[in-house]
Amino acid sequence: MSELSAERANFDLARCEKSIIKKFHKQLFRRFTKAVVTYNLIQPNDKIAVCISGGKDSFLLAKLFQELKKHHKFPFELVFLAMDPGYNSENRQLIESNAKKLEIPLTVFETDIFENVLHIENSPCYLCARMRRGHLYHNAKMLGCNKIALGHHYDDVIETILMGMLYGGQVQTMMPILNSTNFEGMQLIRPMYLIREQDIIAWRDYSGLKFLRCACKFTDGSREDEGKRKKVKQLIKMLAADDPCIEQNIFKSVENVNLSTIIAYKDRQGNKHFFNE
């Protein structure tokens, strides 16, 4: 028996699934359903493309959706969609193996995105992300879906808020739901919006699972991103060590914007300065 086959044979799917609604119910399933209800993410008869990147977040998202469907109070459909942007064979095999292990019926389509951004010097990750999003929207719509679901979590949200302030000079956040500007009738939802990354890691380790850390062709999953997001993650961790309310306060900052104490804001029509009103 190969090492991969032995690993799959030792994996306990029932234990893994049960942990989502039992051991990690408060940390995972409750926060998942809270986000769905709070942000009104799912409607009756939605057909949702759950997008699988290969990492821990997207695979947990898929399992959470499967559990939700078991206990749903209204009908909706799921498609589990994965894009191969140019993975090496090892990464592709790991994604497909995990999908089989977790009994996720994966639909895979291929692109050449990694090759297209290989020689881009300025912001290749940003361009790659935009191209991946566009392909996901297109293929999801071709499959009759009206929504795509991504696995961004609470920590992604607060890191994005702080990155926008420190590196972008603006106050903005990663929204839990977005209407697509290029694909009519399509929406993007983030049902793991309230789930902490440490709880995702705890579920992964409890289940004995191994996922891609990074599917990027430039790293092949061997190291973490050394860029701005990692620096912000470290900064938040340092601040939270002194004040446990730091993370929650960053999250709430974009819910409690006091318009009487800001100089300007911008909308789709452009910048609005209060001093000119």
Side-chain angles (χ1 to χ4, degrees), residues 222-276:
S222 61
R223 63 178 179 86
E224 292 187 49
D225 175 31
E226 297 292 337
K228 297 175 181 177
R229 184 168 291 273
K230 185 177 180 182
K231 293 177 182 178
V232 168
K233 185 186 289 287
Q234 292 172 337
L235 174 61
I236 294 173
K237 183 178 180 179
M238 180 186 69
L239 295 172
D242 293 329
D243 186 345
C245 293
I246 286 291
E247 294 157 317
Q248 184 180 27
N249 287 341
I250 295 172
F251 186 90
K252 286 186 174 181
S253 69
V254 292
E255 294 181 341
N256 299 316
V257 178
N258 188 339
L259 293 180
S260 65
T261 63
I262 63 172
I263 296 172
Y265 70 95
K266 65 180 180 180
D267 56 23
R268 292 183 180 181
Q269 283 71 48
N271 292 326
K272 311 288 184 181
H273 290 268
F274 285 106
F275 295 117
N276 295 332

Side-chain angles (χ1 to χ4, degrees), residues 4-252:
L4 184 60
S5 298
E7 182 184 340
R8 289 186 58 189
N10 294 329
F11 174 70
D12 189 338
L13 177 61
R15 180 174 182 268
C16 171
E17 292 178 334
K18 185 178 180 180
S19 72
I20 292 174
I21 57 173
K22 294 293 184 179
K23 181 177 178 64
F24 299 106
H25 178 83
K26 181 179 179 181
Q27 300 94 327
L28 300 179
F29 195 67
R30 182 186 295 179
R31 291 182 182 179
F32 175 78
T33 55
K34 182 179 179 180
V36 168
V37 173
T38 300
Y39 303 115
N40 200 24
L41 301 184
I42 303 176
Q43 302 295 325
N45 301 314
D46 276 345
K47 187 172 183 180
I48 304 166
V50 183
C51 300
I52 308 294
S53 65
K56 66 186 188 310
D57 307 329
S58 60
F59 270 112
L60 175 58
L61 177 65
K63 297 308 294 181
L64 287 166
F65 263 114
Q66 287 182 330
E67 289 299 326
L68 182 66
K69 192 162 179 61
K70 291 178 185 177
H71 305 92
H72 74 282
K73 297 181 179 179
F74 54 82
F76 65 92
E77 294 184 59
L78 297 173
V79 172
F80 299 97
L81 191 62
M83 174 181 58
D84 184 343
Y87 297 138
N88 62 33
S89 58
E90 183 179 353
N91 283 345
R92 173 71 177 257
Q93 183 183 17
L94 181 58
I95 293 172
E96 293 179 338
S97 173
N98 279 329
K100 291 178 181 178
K101 184 187 301 185
L102 291 166
E103 295 189 358
I104 297 170
L106 205 57
T107 298
V108 182
F109 67 93
E110 298 182 2
T111 70
D112 55 359
I113 290 177
F114 284 168
E115 289 299 324
N116 289 334
V117 301
L118 183 61
H119 303 293
I120 301 296
E121 294 184 3
N122 297 322
S123 302
C125 296
Y126 174 77
L127 178 61
C128 179
R130 285 184 61 87
M131 293 176 68
R132 288 162 70 105
R133 187 78 51 82
H135 280 286
L136 288 169
Y137 269 126
H138 173 76
N139 282 271
K141 192 166 188 176
M142 292 288 288
L143 292 170
C145 299
N146 65 309
K147 292 178 179 177
I148 65 171
L150 302 184
H152 296 116
H153 49 68
Y154 187 95
D155 295 76
D156 291 324
V157 176
I158 61 175
E159 289 161 17
T160 298
I161 294 169
L162 209 53
M163 285 180 69
M165 295 174 64
L166 298 178
Y167 296 109
Q170 57 186 339
V171 177
Q172 63 176 12
T173 190
M174 181 181 286
M175 297 295 286
I177 185 168
L178 285 172
N179 293 319
S180 174
T181 55
N182 298 317
F183 295 86
E184 186 177 356
M186 295 288 291
Q187 288 185 318
L188 180 155
I189 60 174
R190 295 183 170 104
M192 292 173 61
Y193 203 77
L194 303 177
I195 294 178
R196 298 305 309 263
E197 185 176 27
Q198 63 189 20
D199 295 322
I200 302 173
I201 293 171
W203 168 80
R204 178 201 66 189
D205 294 345
Y206 174 83
S207 302
L209 293 163
K210 177 184 176 183
F211 299 113
L212 292 182
R213 293 180 65 186
C214 177
C216 176
K217 187 172 184 177
F218 307 111
T219 64
D220 289 333
S222 61
R223 63 178 179 86
E224 292 187 49
D225 175 31
E226 297 292 337
K228 297 175 181 177
R229 184 168 291 273
K230 185 177 180 182
K231 293 177 182 178
V232 168
K233 185 186 289 287
Q234 292 172 337
L235 174 61
I236 294 173
K237 183 178 180 179
M238 180 186 69
L239 295 172
D242 293 329
D243 186 345
C245 293
I246 286 291
E247 294 157 317
Q248 184 180 27
N249 287 341
I250 295 172
F251 186 90
K252 286 186 174 181

